[in-house]
């Protein structure tokens, strides 16, 4: 079977105080996924005096990075995302891909949230602890 890439069709969130909603992603734009979990440090000097490997393993956060559309009039996308970034409680997120796969995880918006008034978009990075899991 072929590997199928393409658009993120939607991001959904469910936050205990802000509520739930759907964010839409600009079509034909790149998206970046890091499923999180454990990573081994790439250290060429990671050996002891006997030549044995010293393997350093650390947890990393999962993340999804996209270009989101920004409806300023009705959905107020950037306003909701900004409110979630400022809230200490994380939301439940799902990320649906055009190939039918959906990932889910608990996390928050991170990084800069700069809306572009001309293109009606903003860069969005959602990140959380643990792993981003395929749920469908």
């Amino acid at each position: 079977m072929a590997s199928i890439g393409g658009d993120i069709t939607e991001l959904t969130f469910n936050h205990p105080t802000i509520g739930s909603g759907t964010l839409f992603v600009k079509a034909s734009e790149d998206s970046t996924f890091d499923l999180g979990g454990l990573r081994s440090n790439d250290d060429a000097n990671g050996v002891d005096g006997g030549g044995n490997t010293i393997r350093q393993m650390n947890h990393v956060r999962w993340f999804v990075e996209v270009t989101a559309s920004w409806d300023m009039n009705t959905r107020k996308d950037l306003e909701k995302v900004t409110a979630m970034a400022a809230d200490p409680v994380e939301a439940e997120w799902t990320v649906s891909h055009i190939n039918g796969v959906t990932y889910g995880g608990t996390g928050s918006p991170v990084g800069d949230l700069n809306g572009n008034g001309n293109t009606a978009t903003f860069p969005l990075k959602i990140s959380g602890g643990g792993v981003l899991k395929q749920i469908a």
Side-chain angles (χ1 to χ4, degrees), residues 76-88:
K76 307 218 179 275
D77 303 305
L78 185 58
E79 291 80 358
K80 289 178 184 174
V81 170
T82 300
M84 281 187 275
D87 197 303

Side-chain angles (χ1 to χ4, degrees), residues 66-131:
V66 299
T67 301
S69 68
W70 178 20
D71 178 355
M72 295 178 232
N73 297 317
T74 307
R75 290 192 319 260
K76 307 218 179 275
D77 303 305
L78 185 58
E79 291 80 358
K80 289 178 184 174
V81 170
T82 300
M84 281 187 275
D87 197 303
V89 178
E90 294 181 316
E92 294 294 323
W93 291 87
T94 63
V95 183
S96 300
H97 195 277
I98 200 166
N99 64 11
V101 171
T102 301
Y103 287 94
T106 303
S108 300
V110 298
D112 291 332
L113 294 168
N114 301 315
N116 184 319
N118 187 47
T119 62
T121 61
F122 62 97
L124 177 60
K125 184 174 184 179
I126 307 297
S127 184
V131 295

Side-chain angles (χ1 to χ4, degrees), residues 8-48:
I8 303 300
T9 55
E10 67 180 21
L11 294 169
T12 64
F13 61 87
N14 186 7
H15 191 277
T17 57
I18 295 169
S20 60
T22 302
L23 300 170
F24 297 98
V25 176
K26 187 174 181 195
S28 299
E29 294 280 320
D30 286 339
S31 57
T32 304
F33 289 73
D34 185 329
L35 302 181
L38 292 171
R39 299 291 187 277
S40 294
N41 188 18
D42 183 15
D43 180 3
N45 295 317
V47 295
D48 63 20

